[in-house]
Amino acid sequence: MASAWALKDVAVSYLVNKSTPLLFRASFVKGQRTLMLVFWPRVCEQYTDINVKMFNVYTGELIYESSNIRDNFELIDITTNESTMYLIEIINDNGVGDQVPLVIFTSLELKEASIPGVSLLPYVENITMTDSESKVVKFGIRNTGSYPVFNVTIDVHTSSSFINIVNIGHGNFPKLNPKETLNFSLFIQPVDIGEASINITCMYHFLDLSFTYSKTVTVSVVDDDTKPPEIKVLEVQTPSVLEILLLGKKFMVKFKVTDESGVAEVYVRYKISKGEYSDWLICKKISENIYVFEISASTLKSHLGEKVYIQFRAIDMDNDRPGDNLEVTSQEYSFQLSTLSYEYLILASIIVVIALIVALRRLRR
Ligand SMILES: [Ca+2]
Ligand SMILES: [Ca+2]
Ligand SMILES: [Ca+2]
């Protein structure tokens, strides 16, 4: 009974807000009887509803709860059956006044306690990923307060169409001790390039209170290949007139097409002189990255001495999403086709002369 009569020794006053409970911690020994008297003023003929609860700080167990009597005082008379630390929660539940002044008479040594908090630890602040690879990103929920929190649940959500996310770690933690961090991981799958945000909401319980903590994490999805293919002409064969006429040799351009993602398609189109360009024609691949374009001798015969114009077009094989591949159209290349030159005329004249000589000799015999 000694503690009861010690009430007069201590009178402390506090303000209790409507939204935030007032919290105290106090140590009790087993079998200790404690009296606490809480007073608050009566306002406008109405009573403010102040409620007091006590919890075991380590287990969260409720060991005392105010009787629901409308008055302007509360007498707590409790004998604890365990030596431990208790949290005393004083709540301004409803009624009049946002802030209510309280006077507490108690023999206990009350220490003000803080509302616990949790925070989200992104181990990577800004998540950047390419469109070709899914990623698993680790997060941590940390209890930054001084008391355990209970029934921690994590909800992840994105309203962005650029990514899909799945929580592949734990979603629920029954208890999170002070300074403890529990990890969970998100599987992030890119859908399109752009900036996406992930809202992570953590709900947890402390005493009989529930709290929500939210954080937004940004994810940038970038293209893993932003360069179109490169086209390089390696070799050009312009046959001479004799080669065209006698050997049927073709005009040929050999070129190389390269791309970090690989080359999907290569096309060529051409025109002779000032004519119209042909359609885009699929190009012949002769070996890895090497392509050729040819014009037959029969076509060349009717265009001797004219100019050939050629353009190449190539598309890369990057296809992580629609519209991912890039294409390039080369510059216009021009090549002069051989003509019947002076040397050929001389050569042809010599052949004619020899032919005549041979014919004359035959006639003389
Ligand atoms: Ca890509
Ligand atoms: Ca590319
Ligand atoms: Ca691309």
Side-chain angles (χ1 to χ4, degrees):
M1 293 299 284
S3 58
W5 308 121
L7 275 177
K8 61 182 177 2
D9 296 337
V10 187
V12 285
S13 59
Y14 289 95
L15 279 175
V16 57
N17 292 314
K18 207 157 198 171
S19 51
T20 318
L22 187 61
L23 274 186
F24 297 105
R25 63 189 161 92
S27 291
F28 289 69
V29 294
K30 188 175 179 181
Q32 178 184 343
R33 185 182 179 200
T34 300
L35 286 178
M36 222 174 106
L37 195 53
V38 183
F39 285 105
W40 60 92
R42 196 172 156 173
V43 185
C44 310
E45 296 301 311
Q46 289 184 27
Y47 289 107
T48 302
D49 198 5
I50 297 288
N51 284 301
V52 180
K53 289 176 186 171
M54 278 174 65
F55 299 85
N56 180 318
V57 77
Y58 302 108
T59 63
E61 184 198 355
L62 177 69
I63 60 149
Y64 173 84
E65 187 172 9
S66 299
S67 54
N68 204 10
I69 297 165
R70 294 210 144 192
D71 226 322
N72 65 328
F73 70 91
E74 177 97 31
L75 176 65
I76 296 114
D77 180 354
I78 184 166
T79 302
T80 48
N81 54 15
E82 208 182 335
S83 299
T84 188
M85 178 93 78
Y86 290 92
L87 280 172
I88 301 159
E89 177 198 87
I90 301 176
I91 289 185
N92 176 5
D93 261 343
N94 51 50
V96 182
D98 283 339
Q99 281 199 321
V100 176
L102 296 178
V103 178
I104 304 170
F105 292 93
T106 178
S107 58
L108 288 170
E109 197 193 335
L110 292 181
K111 294 212 169 113
E112 242 186 297
S114 56
I115 297 289
V118 301
S119 67
L120 182 80
L121 299 182
Y123 292 98
V124 192
E125 280 296 335
N126 297 306
I127 303 163
T128 301
M129 60 194 299
T130 63
D131 57 348
S132 62
E133 268 182 315
S134 297
K135 212 170 193 176
V136 173
V137 182
K138 194 167 107 176
F139 294 90
I141 284 286
R142 184 166 174 81
N143 182 342
T144 52
S146 310
Y147 310 104
V149 296
F150 299 89
N151 299 326
V152 182
T153 58
I154 292 153
D155 180 63
V156 291
H157 171 77
T158 182
S159 51
S160 167
S161 57
F162 299 145
I163 50 167
N164 291 324
I165 46 168
V166 183
N167 183 353
I168 55 168
H170 299 276
N172 302 299
F173 306 111
K175 187 181 181 184
L176 187 58
N177 286 312
K179 311 285 177 275
E180 188 182 11
T181 302
L182 292 169
N183 292 318
F184 64 99
S185 299
L186 293 187
F187 174 79
I188 309 174
Q189 184 186 44
V191 176
D192 206 345
I193 54 170
E195 287 257 307
S197 53
I198 301 174
N199 300 310
I200 300 171
T201 305
C202 174
M203 285 151 289
Y204 59 96
H205 290 86
F206 171 68
L207 310 183
D208 61 338
L209 310 166
S210 50
F211 295 89
T212 302
Y213 166 86
S214 296
K215 183 152 181 159
T216 302
V217 178
T218 310
V219 181
S220 303
V221 183
V222 296
D223 190 359
D224 63 335
D225 177 9
T226 54
K227 284 191 215 144
E230 273 182 33
I231 299 171
K232 197 177 156 195
V233 173
L234 297 180
E235 189 187 337
V236 186
Q237 272 180 21
T238 318
S240 65
V241 175
L242 278 187
E243 286 171 325
I244 296 167
L245 298 178
L246 303 177
L247 305 172
K249 230 176 163 185
K250 297 167 179 174
F251 169 86
M252 192 274 297
V253 183
K254 190 192 276 183
F255 59 103
K256 190 173 183 178
V257 184
T258 49
D259 192 277
E260 61 186 290
S261 303
V263 179
E265 286 160 72
V266 178
Y267 299 98
V268 65
R269 67 175 183 177
Y270 72 103
K271 64 179 181 180
I272 299 176
S273 292
K274 292 193 174 85
E276 290 280 301
Y277 261 118
S278 66
D279 289 335
W280 285 108
L281 311 164
I282 293 171
C283 232
K284 197 165 99 186
K285 184 177 173 180
I286 57 163
S287 63
E288 193 59 32
N289 299 328
I290 308 292
Y291 297 80
V292 290
F293 166 66
E294 293 169 329
I295 302 176
S296 71
S298 59
T299 307
L300 294 176
K301 270 181 206 164
S302 47
H303 295 283
L304 292 177
E306 292 180 34
K307 253 187 174 173
V308 184
Y309 300 88
I310 301 174
Q311 263 193 315
F312 305 106
R313 188 158 73 97
I315 301 168
D316 75 16
M317 225 185 265
D318 190 21
N319 61 350
D320 304 304
R321 59 199 160 78
D324 193 7
N325 52 14
L326 283 173
E327 69 168 74
V328 66
T329 303
S330 77
Q331 65 179 91
E332 183 183 74
Y333 293 92
S334 64
F335 305 99
Q336 181 71 49
L337 293 178
S338 306
T339 184
L340 218 49
S341 66
Y342 178 65
E343 291 89 335
Y344 291 138
L345 285 173
I346 291 173
L347 193 63
S349 311
I350 291 168
I351 293 168
V352 170
V353 169
I354 291 169
L356 280 172
I357 291 167
V358 171
L360 281 171
R361 280 186 180 174
R362 280 184 184 163
L363 279 174
R364 281 180 190 167
R365 281 179 198 160

